[in-house]
Amino acid sequence: MDKPIPPRPGRGAQKARLAEILRVDHAGEMAAVQIYRGQRAVLGSAAGRSRIAGQLAEMEAHEAVHLARFDSLLTEHRVRPTAFAPLWRLAGFALGAGTALLGEKAAHACTEAVETVIEAHYAGQIDELAEREPALAAELSQFRNEELAHRDQAVNEGAHEAPGYGLLAAVIRTGCLTAIRISEKI
């Protein structure tokens, strides 16, 4: 779990930290949209998969709303997106499609692993921003609740029953944490 980062000293430090938060959250929501698109590309039209296709479409729609909000916030605060955006789009789609090719349970394991990391990430940001950016903290709380709902749904659908779940989830979580660190800065 991320520990809240204390305010940085010096002129412009809080603005720089806010830029990091907006940049990384934008990157994460962009990648999440792509993960669900990749999963839907594999499972969306497969016979007998209408239930999961509907679930994936609904989760993708939530992530698209989050992404649109971060697009607006980047513009409003004059923050550039991560330079890694093209790579994260491709990696997100590949992760989604790849886990879907392993089956529904693996697709759910992907969702559970990603949303577990993102939930903790948002929780740390909410704690950090609660006093100095309460409106943004409230929005992040709403997004966090939706991410938790995605995670819980994935668990209820059998995420932990995916073949090789422990290894799959660990690799995905490590990838997410690495992408977070990179996207904050670059």
Side-chain angles (χ1 to χ4, degrees), residues 1 5 22 29-30 33 36 45 50 57 81 91 96 122 133 135 139 150 153 178 182:
M1 183 168 157
I5 298 173
L22 297 177
E29 297 298 348
M30 179 191 55
V33 167
Y36 290 121
S45 60
S50 61
Y122 273 153
E133 295 281 346
E139 283 187 279
H150 297 170
Q153 182 176 2
T178 302
I182 292 169

Side-chain angles (χ1 to χ4, degrees), residues 21-63:
I21 289 169
L22 297 177
R23 181 174 23 264
V24 71
D25 290 355
H26 177 266
E29 297 298 348
M30 179 191 55
V33 167
Q34 292 303 314
I35 289 168
Y36 290 121
R37 285 184 181 162
Q39 289 175 339
R40 286 190 330 115
V42 172
L43 298 171
S45 60
R49 304 283 174 102
S50 61
R51 182 167 176 260
I52 191 171
Q55 291 171 340
L56 295 171
E58 183 179 338
M59 289 187 278
E60 180 185 330
H62 292 156
E63 305 298 355

Side-chain angles (χ1 to χ4, degrees), residues 114-124 126 144 147-148 151:
V114 169
E115 300 296 20
T116 296
V117 171
I118 298 310
E119 179 278 323
H121 176 72
Y122 273 153
I126 292 162
R144 177 178 175 248
E147 308 298 359
L148 282 168
R151 184 203 63 196

Side-chain angles (χ1 to χ4, degrees), residues 88-158:
W88 297 159
R89 277 188 201 95
L90 179 63
F93 189 89
L95 177 61
T99 55
L101 287 168
L102 295 173
E104 286 185 36
K105 304 267 191 225
H108 290 305
C110 175
T111 296
E112 185 269 340
V114 169
E115 300 296 20
T116 296
V117 171
I118 298 310
E119 179 278 323
H121 176 72
Y122 273 153
Q125 289 180 341
I126 292 162
D127 287 345
E128 180 182 347
L129 296 171
E131 289 187 27
R132 73 174 190 264
E133 295 281 346
L136 180 57
E139 283 187 279
L140 294 180
S141 292
Q142 176 188 339
F143 294 169
R144 177 178 175 248
N145 289 339
E146 291 174 1
E147 308 298 359
L148 282 168
H150 297 170
R151 184 203 63 196
D152 293 348
Q153 182 176 2
V155 170
N156 290 336
E157 292 291 332

Side-chain angles (χ1 to χ4, degrees), residues 54-75:
Q55 291 171 340
L56 295 171
E58 183 179 338
M59 289 187 278
E60 180 185 330
H62 292 156
E63 305 298 355
V65 169
H66 302 174
L67 177 58
R69 181 60 181 137
F70 283 113
D71 280 336
S72 296
L73 286 166
L74 287 182
T75 300

Side-chain angles (χ1 to χ4, degrees), residues 16-31 74 79-89 121 125 175-186:
R17 177 61 186 143
L18 180 61
E20 289 177 353
I21 289 169
L22 297 177
R23 181 174 23 264
V24 71
D25 290 355
H26 177 266
E29 297 298 348
M30 179 191 55
L74 287 182
V79 173
R80 65 164 176 78
T82 178
F84 280 78
L87 178 60
W88 297 159
R89 277 188 201 95
H121 176 72
Q125 289 180 341
C176 288
L177 290 168
T178 302
I180 286 169
R181 298 296 172 246
I182 292 169
S183 296
E184 280 181 333
K185 305 295 183 190
I186 300 174

